[in-house]
Amino acid sequence: MARTITILAKTGTIAEGQGGQAYDTSTIGAGTGTGLTGQPSNRKVRVTAFINVTSYTASGENLAPADLDLLSLDFIEVNVLSVAGSAPTAASPLTASWNRSTEKIIVNTTHGTESPGSAATLTVEAIGESPQDVLAF
Amino acid sequence: MARTVLISSKSVVISSDGYQRDLGLNPVQNRVRVSGICQVSSYTTGGEVFSPADLGLTSIDELSITAQFINNTQFPTNSIPLYAAWTGTSGNKVILMKDAIASGEATAGQSAAFWFEGTGPSLEGQPTL
């Protein structure tokens, strides 16, 4: 494992009608889209990051919320830009997954095929709870 | 079908120059960004309904979804990546696959979950700070 994580942007999320507050995970009725009942939180942020992996580890490369300066994740999306210097092609579409259980990023060149030892570049978009109060930024 | 939508943040989209347009290019000031998790207790073959109203939106400008797990314990692995796709306005459904290439759709009745992040006009009209 050898990876470098660069946080490119970290922005606060400003909740509607709440004076800058956002919410912890809360249950709303399916189909309603209203009725937030969770505890208010002033720590929700959106993080965009770039990950440079110099030697990909088979079965996944570690990526914990703390690597993105987050305490927990509300949402995450990982995209792979290149593996072994090659961008996605029709013959070798590149896919990236994040395993919540193991907190690892998995990079596949095709279905079920990895390239351990190869360099890889990825981008991450995540929303979650920051250690810091957004209103104090 | 049995799903629970967990919205963990709903924020106002603030444009730098006031430029917000609907799909008809009319000026609007009602855009919000919503993110969270949808938990499915019993997956429906062909896709789980996930409509704009589930996100508190009247329509969807942009939606990103990521499969979290299928059948409670099946998280994405190197040999079995998970895949999620939204059908858009054609049915408003999220399809969860255990394998994007080998047609391994989640089995009917299985539990599943996916993350979402979407932007669109709020059901509640123009948001206020």
Side-chain angles (χ1 to χ4, degrees):
Chain A
M1 179 189 79
R3 74 202 197 292
T4 304
I5 300 170
T6 305
I7 294 180
L8 304 173
K10 183 177 182 182
T11 54
T13 67
I14 302 173
E16 177 183 12
Q18 299 298 325
Q21 292 181 337
Y23 283 86
D24 292 329
T25 300
S26 58
T27 303
I28 64 169
T32 64
T34 59
L36 289 166
T37 57
Q39 296 301 307
S41 166
N42 292 326
R43 294 181 170 186
K44 292 301 174 73
V45 295
R46 165 192 293 265
V47 175
T48 304
F50 178 78
I51 301 177
N52 183 35
V53 178
T54 56
S55 178
Y56 177 77
T57 304
S59 298
E61 199 73 28
N62 291 337
L63 181 72
D67 292 326
L68 301 171
D69 201 17
L70 297 173
L71 297 171
S72 61
L73 285 172
D74 297 337
F75 166 80
I76 186 169
E77 183 177 58
V78 185
N79 290 303
V80 55
L81 304 177
S82 69
V83 172
S86 297
T89 65
S92 181
L94 306 179
T95 59
S97 308
W98 188 70
N99 186 313
R100 189 196 72 181
S101 178
T102 60
E103 296 189 337
K104 290 180 185 292
I105 310 170
I106 299 151
V107 177
N108 285 339
T109 53
T110 57
H111 162 65
T113 303
E114 297 177 294
S115 293
S118 297
T121 56
L122 304 100
T123 58
V124 175
E125 180 87 5
I127 298 173
E129 191 90 343
S130 168
Q132 293 176 276
D133 191 325
V134 170
L135 295 181
F137 281 177
Chain B
M1 178 189 78
R3 69 194 188 288
T4 302
V5 180
L6 308 170
I7 291 182
S8 47
S9 67
K10 180 180 182 184
S11 55
V12 180
V13 175
I14 301 173
S15 55
S16 60
D17 59 355
Y19 194 89
Q20 290 188 354
R21 303 282 176 178
D22 62 18
L23 294 178
L25 301 182
N26 303 301
V28 295
Q29 291 182 320
N30 58 0
R31 290 303 196 273
V32 293
R33 176 177 290 122
V34 177
S35 61
I37 297 170
C38 182
Q39 298 172 336
V40 178
S41 61
S42 179
Y43 182 78
T44 303
T45 301
E48 195 69 26
V49 170
F50 191 63
S51 62
D54 287 321
L55 290 83
L57 305 175
T58 57
S59 61
I60 291 175
D61 295 338
E62 169 269 332
L63 179 66
S64 296
I65 50 175
T66 303
Q68 187 178 121
F69 65 81
I70 290 174
N71 199 21
N72 232 11
T73 56
Q74 179 64 65
F75 293 91
T77 67
N78 55 335
S79 58
I80 308 177
L82 303 184
Y83 175 74
W86 186 56
T87 64
T89 53
S90 175
N92 284 318
K93 291 181 178 179
V94 167
I95 300 168
L96 296 170
M97 311 278 288
K98 281 183 275 188
D99 175 350
I101 296 174
S103 301
E105 184 179 8
T107 303
Q110 287 184 328
S111 61
F114 60 90
W115 286 283
F116 62 84
E117 186 265 356
T119 304
S122 173
L123 265 176
E124 297 166 333
Q126 182 174 339
T128 55
L129 293 176

